[in-house]
Amino acid sequence: MDHCPDYLTIQALIDGEENDQALLKHLQDCFACRLQYRQLSSMVKLADGLKCEAKLPANFYHAMERKLTPAPFPTALVSLAVLLLVLASLLLLGPTYFEWWLSVGITSQVSLVLDALLDLFAISRLVSSSWVISGLAALVTMELFILKMLKNVEGWQNGW
Ligand SMILES: [Zn+2]
């Protein structure tokens, strides 16, 4: 062993989680590490000998969990407020901006849906309907899987 181990390694040795022979040999040869080992060992023995009468309240973990869990964020209300703010600012800036937003924003969304439907129609003419249905079923399954993953990631508790 070229260098002295850190506190955690010596602690692991004391706890019996580490039994590297090179580390043991280093402890025999290095005065500083041996001293550190003895000090940590005596602290562990002292801590083990402490008797503590204090107990945590019965609902401590439940109260801690309640404090750590963030309050639900009103996403829908904030989205609605942002949409209303955007619409109001567009109207205040000038009707031409509002018309531009309607023509570009809404029209592009509608055209996406129409394109998807027309593509589905074109695909259904090229292949049999069972392929289209199985493809849609695969897409729905994939979406359900993604929603399930998002539920796990975001920790939703809506019970679905
Ligand atoms: Zn050392």
Side-chain angles (χ1 to χ4, degrees):
M1 178 169 263
D2 297 339
H3 58 280
C4 294
D6 58 1
Y7 265 121
L8 291 177
T9 308
I10 293 176
Q11 179 70 46
L13 190 69
I14 292 169
D15 293 342
E17 298 165 354
E18 178 75 55
N19 59 359
D20 185 15
Q21 292 303 313
L23 180 63
L24 292 172
K25 174 92 170 77
H26 179 85
L27 280 181
Q28 286 177 350
D29 298 340
C30 178
F31 175 75
C33 287
R34 203 168 48 241
L35 182 65
Q36 211 172 44
Y37 177 85
R38 286 184 185 151
Q39 287 173 342
L40 274 176
S41 293
S42 66
M43 283 195 300
V44 166
K45 283 178 189 162
L46 187 66
D48 286 345
L50 287 176
K51 288 187 178 177
C52 186
E53 300 296 327
K55 299 261 187 231
L56 291 174
N59 64 342
F60 175 77
Y61 292 109
H62 189 68
M64 179 71 83
E65 184 184 354
R66 213 175 327 121
K67 282 186 179 181
L68 291 177
T69 304
F73 189 73
T75 311
L77 287 178
V78 171
S79 302
L80 181 66
V82 168
L83 179 68
L84 290 178
L85 187 69
V86 167
L87 289 177
S89 63
L90 285 173
L91 279 173
L92 289 176
L93 284 174
T96 53
Y97 288 108
F98 187 68
E99 288 169 6
W100 175 84
W101 183 78
L102 276 179
S103 63
V104 173
I106 302 248
T107 308
S108 67
Q109 300 296 320
V110 170
S111 70
L112 270 177
V113 171
L114 282 177
D115 280 348
L117 287 176
L118 288 175
D119 286 346
L120 275 176
F121 181 70
I123 289 173
S124 69
R125 292 189 65 145
L126 292 175
V127 297
S128 67
S129 60
S130 61
W131 278 103
V132 173
I133 290 172
S134 56
L136 286 174
L139 285 176
V140 167
T141 305
M142 190 173 72
E143 184 170 352
L144 287 175
F145 177 74
I146 289 172
L147 285 174
K148 175 94 173 138
M149 296 279 292
L150 285 176
K151 178 184 163 191
N152 289 340
V153 168
E154 297 186 3
W156 289 349
Q157 298 172 347
N158 292 333
W160 58 275

